[in-house]
Amino acid sequence: PKFTFKQKSTGKVLKKNVDYTVKYYNNIIPGEAVAVVTGKKNYFRLGQKIYFKIVPEKAKTLSFYDYDDRASVYGSYDCTYAEYEIIYSTDKDFKNYKKIIDRYPEIVNSDNIKTYYVKMRAIVNCNGLNRSYVYFDKETMEYDYTLNYTLKGRWSDVVSYSFK
């Protein structure tokens, strides 16, 4: 995230790497990350930890593994501990759709329909997960069970899938 800091008395906007520095911790995987802001020169009292959330990325590609009457749906994600939500429909507008949330979602073709439209997103339940703490410029990861929230990634592009 981008930060803007102003001097309280004058309203002057402070400049990054001139008036203050920012170090990021756990700025990669979905969950909670922290930015440590440290003042420079006359702004030595500026010192703050800013927590922010990193949502799962949008799936880049969807692939399918076909069985007789069902198909497993896979997306390319960097997070390995997520569940996935897919919605699928016989129409591109998803007016009537079915939703599945699972670690390994599958489309079940019980109605013997040829083509479905599918989109997918990652869901990460952060129940005490990925809280970064910074002590004296050393990052430690600890469980914090006071945190309980769900992060949902952006939907993938819509892909059509045809059963054989």
Side-chain angles (χ1 to χ4, degrees):
K2 295 181 181 182
F3 308 104
T4 302
F5 294 99
K6 294 182 181 180
Q7 188 174 18
K8 197 172 191 176
S9 59
T10 65
K12 173 189 167 192
V13 175
L14 304 182
K15 295 179 183 166
K16 185 177 177 183
N17 296 326
V18 174
D19 300 319
Y20 66 92
T21 60
V22 179
K23 283 187 178 180
Y24 293 94
Y25 298 90
N26 189 33
N27 197 21
I28 299 170
I29 58 176
E32 191 163 273
V34 64
V36 177
V37 181
T38 306
K40 294 173 85 172
K41 298 189 241 170
N42 296 333
Y43 305 104
F44 69 93
R45 295 181 66 194
L46 178 70
Q48 191 170 337
K49 294 176 186 170
I50 301 171
Y51 291 95
F52 58 96
K53 291 176 176 56
I54 299 174
V55 297
E57 68 175 350
K58 175 181 172 180
K60 294 178 186 75
T61 57
L62 292 185
S63 57
F64 299 85
Y65 187 80
D66 196 353
Y67 303 98
D68 290 335
D69 61 345
R70 57 193 164 85
S72 294
V73 184
Y74 299 96
S76 60
Y77 285 100
D78 286 341
C79 51
T80 58
Y81 51 87
E83 285 192 307
Y84 303 99
E85 178 178 9
I86 63 167
I87 59 174
Y88 62 99
S89 177
T90 55
D91 60 282
K92 290 181 183 178
D93 298 330
F94 292 92
K95 290 179 185 168
N96 297 308
Y97 65 86
K98 293 182 182 177
K99 174 170 68 171
I100 299 171
I101 298 174
D102 197 338
R103 182 89 172 103
Y104 305 103
E106 288 185 338
I107 298 172
V108 177
N109 192 12
S110 57
D111 299 330
N112 207 18
I113 294 172
K114 267 299 209 198
T115 302
Y116 286 101
Y117 297 93
V118 183
K119 58 184 176 178
M120 174 186 234
R121 67 178 170 183
I123 298 176
V124 178
N125 182 5
C126 297
N127 184 7
L129 187 63
N130 288 348
R131 181 71 187 246
S132 265
Y133 290 93
V134 180
Y135 302 106
F136 304 107
D137 275 348
K138 291 195 174 31
E139 178 188 25
T140 60
M141 300 293 287
E142 296 179 7
Y143 289 100
D144 183 347
Y145 291 104
T146 63
L147 298 172
N148 188 6
Y149 55 90
T150 300
L151 296 173
K152 294 182 177 184
R154 292 182 13 228
W155 287 106
S156 68
D157 294 334
V158 176
V159 175
S160 66
Y161 176 74
S162 296
F163 279 91
K164 296 173 183 161

